[in-house]
Amino acid sequence: MSVQERKERERAGRERLIVATARELAEQQGWDAVTTRRLAERIEYSQPVLYSHFRGKREIIGAVALEGAAEMASALRAATSTAEGPRAQVTALARSYLDFAARNPAVYDAMFQLDGGLAFADEDTPEPLKDGFAALLETLGEVAGDGVHPALFTEVFWAALHGLATLTRAGRLPPEVTGPRVELLVDRLAIV
């Protein structure tokens, strides 16, 4: 291994450590607790080293969002791959999405609530975000119905899931009724 390859590997390792530490801190104490000073202390590197990887908290949030989008896409695909038939696949997708949001609140916030400097619904949208949407579209596009654009249907269904996730987490909807909400959503919106 060349010196340059070793340096690149070490740099990538530091970057992964910064992102993992930011996620951990955000999940434990919220995003307000994630500062470059605290991150530098936790990873035992100086703030200038942190800034050599990320220009600030916004870029760190963006990195967490990209990582989270890839994880969510993987979870959605895993959930739908074992379900038999369209109704079961849509139900599994909805449950997996809501479960991901509930288990990873800080990551979910980085993906959809906070400014991570990422472009959405744009040609400049980073690939992990596109893939996250594609993981929804793969299942939902199949049940969009005649005359309904699959991507548009997916956006509406996704918006409903996001609303359920956000309102449940905020204590506006009781979590114990999530199952019946998913069934209603599938029955009335997906009609599969």
Side-chain angles (χ1 to χ4, degrees):
M1 173 183 307
S2 73
V3 173
Q4 181 63 27
E5 289 172 328
R6 182 181 53 78
K7 285 183 179 184
E8 287 174 13
R9 190 179 72 211
E10 289 172 356
R11 180 173 176 75
R14 277 193 310 270
E15 201 162 292
R16 283 191 303 275
L17 178 62
I18 293 166
V19 172
T21 304
R23 280 180 71 157
E24 180 184 310
L25 188 56
E27 291 293 359
Q28 291 171 351
Q29 300 177 30
W31 279 103
D32 287 342
V34 179
T35 65
T36 54
R37 184 182 61 76
R38 288 183 89 184
L39 284 174
E41 287 172 5
R42 285 210 175 188
I43 64 172
E44 298 178 348
Y45 283 104
S46 67
Q47 283 182 301
V49 169
L50 219 96
Y51 284 115
S52 75
H53 291 275
F54 299 99
R55 286 182 284 200
K57 183 175 176 177
R58 181 179 186 216
E59 283 189 5
I60 294 169
I61 290 169
V64 169
L66 293 176
E67 194 173 87
E71 291 170 9
M72 185 184 76
S74 178
L76 296 177
R77 287 185 176 111
T80 58
S81 71
T82 59
E84 300 271 337
R87 180 182 175 72
Q89 289 173 337
V90 172
T91 301
L93 176 110
R95 287 185 177 148
S96 179
Y97 183 96
L98 295 172
D99 183 56
F100 179 87
R103 283 185 300 104
N104 304 283
V107 173
Y108 192 81
D109 283 350
M111 293 167 62
F112 302 120
Q113 306 282 36
L114 302 174
D115 178 11
L118 303 173
F120 282 82
D122 188 289
E123 64 186 43
D124 294 332
T125 300
E127 204 52 46
L129 298 179
K130 289 179 182 178
D131 191 49
F133 185 76
L136 293 165
L137 181 62
E138 289 161 11
T139 297
L140 296 170
E142 296 293 319
V143 299
D146 294 337
V148 177
H149 192 282
L152 183 61
F153 178 78
T154 300
E155 289 171 353
V156 171
F157 199 92
W158 174 28
L161 289 175
H162 176 70
L164 289 174
T166 304
L167 291 169
T168 301
R169 187 162 144 222
R172 305 297 195 270
L173 298 174
E176 63 274 6
V177 194
T178 297
R181 282 191 202 98
V182 168
E183 293 300 321
L184 182 62
L185 182 63
V186 172
D187 284 344
R188 298 295 184 218
L189 191 55
I191 309 173
V192 289

